[in-house]
Structure formats: C-alpha cells, structure tokens
Amino acid sequence: MDKLQIEGGIPLKGSIRISGAKNAALPILAGSLLSAGPVTISNSPHLHDVTTMIELLACLGVDVTLNENMQVEVAAKNLSSFRAPYELVKTMRASFLVLGPLLARFGEAEVSLPGGCAIGSRPVDQHLKGLEALGADISVTDGYVRARSNGRLVGCDVHMDLVTVGGTQNLMMAATLASGTTRLFNAACEPETVDLGNFLNALGAKVSGHGTSTIEIEGVDALHGGSHRVMPDRVEAGTYLVAAAVTGGHVHLRDVEPETLGAVLDKLQQAGAEVTVGDDWIALDMAGRRARAVDIETSPYPGFPTDMQAQFMTLNALAEGTATINENIFENRFMHVHEMKRLGADIELHGQSMAVVQGVKELRAAPVMATDLRASSSLVLAALAAVGTTTIDRIYHIDRGYETIEEKLGQMGAKVRRVS
Ligand code: EPZ
C-alpha cells in the first residue's frame, strides 16, 4: 500500500496547472449514455474514479477509448447490459449516476445501491422519488435498484426535499429524453451541475436554469453526438491555495475558474492571504505570514463547499486564534480530526457536526492514515507545514481526487516522496 513521505516547513512557491474537475467528469461520462455518440470529452482528469467510471461504461457495452490527445471518446450505440454491479458501485458511488441515463434512453436499469461511505450514510431517496415522479417503476431488492419505464418517461414538476448534487444530476439527465417538460425545484447549483447541463445541451438537450435552484428540461426525442471540455477542478484549486496559505508561500494556479471559488477565496482573504485573480488564474501570496483563524459553515453552493472543510481545518489548526467549523452537509466528515490531533492539533469535537479549533504555532510530524478523499488532502496540507517528515498511509484515497499530487507539489518546491 503506497504512502506519501512529506518533509514539512517549506513555503510553497511556483505555478501549476489545475486539472479537469472530477465531480464534473463523472456525471458527464454517465451522461454520455444518453447519446449513440460519438461523444468526445476533453480535459477529463486521469484519476482512479474516472477510470472506474470508464470501466463501468465498458462493462455496459459502451465503446470507450482514449485518443491520442488524451480525450475520452464514447459511443453508447448498442449496450450489452443495463446492470451496474455492486463490485464497481461500492468502489465509486458516483456510478449511481448511470441510473437516470440508462432508464431514460433504454427504459430499464439495474444499479446497485451505493451504500454508505466513510463520510456518511448518503441515501439516494431523492433520486428514486424523482424518477418515480417521472413515471418509472422502481423496486429495491437484494441491494439493487431495479427501474423500468413503460415507454418514455413523462416530464413533470419535481420538488426535491433537500439539495442533492447527485440527485439533481440523475434527474436532469433522465428528463432530457422524457416527453414534455420537467422542472426541478430546490435543485443543486454547484458549478459541476452547470457543466453537466452545458454538456447535455451540446448533445442537443434543452436544459435551462442550471446554476439556479430551478432547472427546466424540455424533453427531446434523442440526443446526438458532440464534444465538451470538462471545467477546471475548483476543489483541487482550493486545496493548493490552502497549501500555500499554511506554508506561508506564494503560488499561481493556471486553468481555473475563480468565479467558482468565491466563498473559498473570501475565507482565504479573511485569513490574511493576498489573493489576486484573472480570467483563468488565481494567485495567492501569504508573504510568510501566519494565517488568522476563520469560522466555517459548510452549505450548498454558492455557500462554503463541504469538500473544502477538511482543508480549512488544517488552516485553522495552525492559525492565530480560535475557529468554529460546522459541517452541515455530511454527518461524519470529521474523520481527519483524530489523525490531525496526532500531529499536535488542538481540536475539540462537539457532537458530529461541530469542531472548535484552537490554532497552535506548529504541528509536529507523526505517522498518520488517510480515511477519505478530502480528509487525506488535509493531512497532506498539515504535513507540508509540520516540523519534520510525516508519512501518510492509505494514500489511495488521495489518488481518487488529486491528479499527480506529488508532481504538482514538487513543482511548487515541496519535498514529497511516494513510497510503497
Ligand atoms: C457530490 O456528492 C460530490 N461527489 C461530493 O464530493 C460532494 O461532497 C457532495 O456532492 C456535496 O457537495 C460527486 O460529485 C461525485 P449530495 P453527492 O447528494 O451527490 C444527502 C468529493 O470529495 N442526500 O449533494 O453524493 C446526503 O446524505 C465528494 O469529491 C439524501 O439525504 O452529494 C448528504 O448528506 C465527496 N438523499 C447531502 O444530501 C439523497 O437522495 C448531500 O449529498 C441524496 C443526498
């Protein structure tokens, strides 16, 4: 099992390119099932989760290839199966996003329930409620969701009980081929959902309002082929900005969309970072200063993203002052706290969703273990700032969401080694 060895105390300095967004590439790949193709997807990140999604499409009988420009070419002409097996879904819950497209285009789908994960139970009740409203017959047996539709799905108004990114995406995709118009109320506004809507429209869908809490989809008979460039990964970008903030460094990120990071940039400025932005770049200069503590409340977009909570826990662990962090999206997303305390962080948990962080002057290296994707990135940030060399175990979690992390950190002067 690979580990990362990180020598702490080096201020990050340099410029790197941000990869395509994992959380846009995954629903877009699932959405390619809606068209016979050819569909060309560029700027898809080379991550384990993306590979898993491509494997899933292939096991459904879809032609998926990587061309010489590293673009993913998909042609979902005739499928050999409509079943997404537990073996794949359990490793990557975004596999559940094939449910809506399979049902809409082929009238049937059998997808394993994704089950819970480290950060919470993560039910899919909103996905199923919405698909039933669109006319699907849904049964859940032996850990699988079996969905059928007699003829086309029928567009309607769907009021979602809570904001769910995956639920919004599954229903938006299913509605593209329904007869009539669907309106999703209380829909997720995340940029990745906007990117998915733009991708679907490139294939001839009629999606509008994506990025607001009411998305309207006018059903069409079929989608054609097309191409799309995946948006930049705002969470990868935010993570490297925090890396610069906790090491007192100065970094420049290329190929990013600053407007998708508003709440994060605001918090970094409150913490004392000097942030400048252009159309497709962000620069952060900490000029050797120690960060100031900043309170965090996670909420759906455009609020502060839950995927950046763990990273700001690290910033606060080293900041001047005391901060409160409230995790309002997932019920168990403080797994990084126990590991961070091994490095000397002063963090008090109050129940499952609130942490009070008292900043300390320094963290000290110790062996730690990654537990989930964003928790592992917060440990990398802590290791970059800690005194001594930290070894992080189970870093397969990191490889799920951060493309070539040791190369990118190395380009900014960090001393990071992957050891088996
Ligand atoms: C997406 O997960 C992201 N994953 C997550 O990123 C991200 O943290 C999350 O959205 C929130 O922004 C991908 O895009 C692949 P949700 P998703 O449905 O769609 C509850 C990362 O680190 N809920 O918006 O699964 C659910 O339990 C990952 O890159 C229901 O109750 O998130 C959770 O508490 C982690 N019923 C809350 O809603 C449902 O039917 C938000 O979940 C659906 C969700």
Side-chain angles (χ1 to χ4, degrees):
M1 199 177 286
D2 282 0
K3 301 179 185 198
L4 276 187
Q5 264 177 2
I6 300 176
E7 186 186 323
I10 303 167
L12 294 193
K13 289 190 178 9
S15 173
I16 58 169
R17 181 189 155 319
I18 294 300
S19 304
K22 165 178 84 78
N23 291 351
L26 294 174
I28 285 169
L29 282 164
S32 63
L33 286 165
L34 289 162
S35 153
V39 173
T40 303
I41 299 163
S42 54
N43 199 39
S44 177
H46 308 305
L47 295 169
H48 188 271
D49 276 7
V50 171
T51 306
T52 303
M53 180 62 86
I54 289 173
E55 277 168 17
L56 172 57
L57 294 179
C59 94
L60 295 174
V62 177
D63 292 334
V64 195
T65 53
L66 216 51
N67 68 22
E68 63 284 356
N69 304 320
M70 297 304 280
Q71 295 168 324
V72 182
E73 297 198 345
V74 187
K77 288 199 193 70
N78 311 301
L79 270 57
S80 54
S81 158
F82 305 120
R83 188 175 197 273
Y86 174 66
E87 296 67 39
L88 274 174
V89 178
K90 74 176 178 184
T91 66
M92 207 262 304
R93 51 180 297 106
S95 312
F96 199 70
L97 292 171
V98 303
L99 176 63
L102 285 174
L103 184 60
R105 178 143 175 249
F106 303 101
E108 59 175 298
E110 202 174 310
V111 179
S112 167
L113 279 169
C117 75
I119 63 178
S121 60
R122 301 182 75 178
V124 289
D125 54 296
Q126 298 298 310
H127 300 238
L128 305 185
K129 173 192 158 192
L131 290 174
E132 282 181 326
L134 289 169
D137 291 325
I138 302 267
S139 65
V140 180
T141 45
D142 308 329
Y144 277 79
V145 172
R146 289 174 173 75
R148 294 278 181 287
S149 73
N150 304 317
R152 281 176 78 173
L153 295 172
V154 179
C156 68
D157 285 356
V158 179
H159 294 266
M160 309 176 85
D161 299 334
L162 54 90
V163 176
T164 155
V165 172
T168 301
Q169 294 171 348
N170 239 332
L171 297 179
M172 184 162 79
M173 291 189 281
T176 56
L177 296 179
S179 62
T181 298
T182 299
R183 290 186 299 177
L184 303 179
F185 294 95
N186 199 18
C189 305
E190 272 67 9
E192 293 77 16
T193 300
V194 175
D195 206 34
L196 174 64
N198 294 338
F199 163 71
L200 295 172
N201 286 343
L203 303 189
K206 291 181 179 168
V207 179
S208 57
H210 38 313
T212 76
S213 58
T214 303
I215 301 177
E216 183 164 305
I217 306 104
E218 190 187 325
V220 296
D221 294 342
L223 297 191
H224 49 67
S227 59
H228 182 78
R229 185 177 193 275
V230 173
M231 67 173 279
D233 194 317
R234 62 192 170 109
V235 181
E236 183 196 17
T239 303
Y240 288 122
L241 291 173
V242 174
V246 299
T247 58
H250 179 186
V251 298
H252 176 276
L253 307 183
R254 307 187 304 276
D255 205 353
V256 294
E257 290 175 356
E259 64 277 12
T260 63
L261 276 157
V264 173
L265 299 182
D266 181 51
K267 283 295 173 186
L268 286 166
Q269 286 170 319
Q270 280 179 37
E274 193 184 312
V275 177
T276 47
V277 302
D279 289 345
D280 62 354
W281 60 267
I282 299 174
L284 182 144
D285 189 356
M286 204 62 185
R289 289 188 299 273
R290 182 183 180 193
R292 289 193 297 271
V294 286
D295 292 340
I296 299 290
E297 287 278 346
T298 66
S299 65
Y301 193 87
F304 188 90
T306 175
D307 291 350
M308 284 298 301
Q309 176 259 110
Q311 298 88 321
F312 269 76
M313 180 83 76
T314 301
L315 181 143
N316 280 321
L318 284 157
E320 198 169 334
T322 303
T324 302
I325 296 184
N326 281 307
E327 171 53 62
N328 302 308
I329 304 293
F330 290 107
E331 69 266 27
N332 188 32
R333 204 167 194 179
F334 282 147
M335 306 275 278
H336 42 289
V337 170
H338 315 295
E339 296 302 303
M340 224 173 271
K341 291 171 90 161
R342 292 174 46 74
L343 301 171
D346 178 353
I347 305 168
E348 240 180 73
L349 288 181
H350 297 261
Q352 286 191 309
S353 61
M354 186 173 112
V356 176
V357 188
Q358 172 67 47
V360 294
K361 273 203 180 317
E362 68 178 26
L363 295 175
R364 303 195 64 78
V368 290
M369 182 178 72
T371 51
D372 60 87
L373 170 54
R374 304 304 172 184
S376 50
S377 72
S378 71
L379 295 176
V380 170
L381 301 181
L384 288 168
V387 174
T389 300
T390 300
T391 300
I392 303 175
D393 200 354
R394 300 192 181 180
I395 59 156
Y396 57 86
H397 290 289
I398 294 182
D399 295 334
R400 298 188 53 177
Y402 293 90
E403 193 178 41
T404 63
I405 185 164
E406 61 264 44
E407 281 81 1
K408 292 194 178 187
L409 287 173
Q411 287 166 24
M412 296 185 284
K415 288 194 175 11
V416 184
R417 260 176 6 110
R418 184 180 290 254
V419 295
S420 298

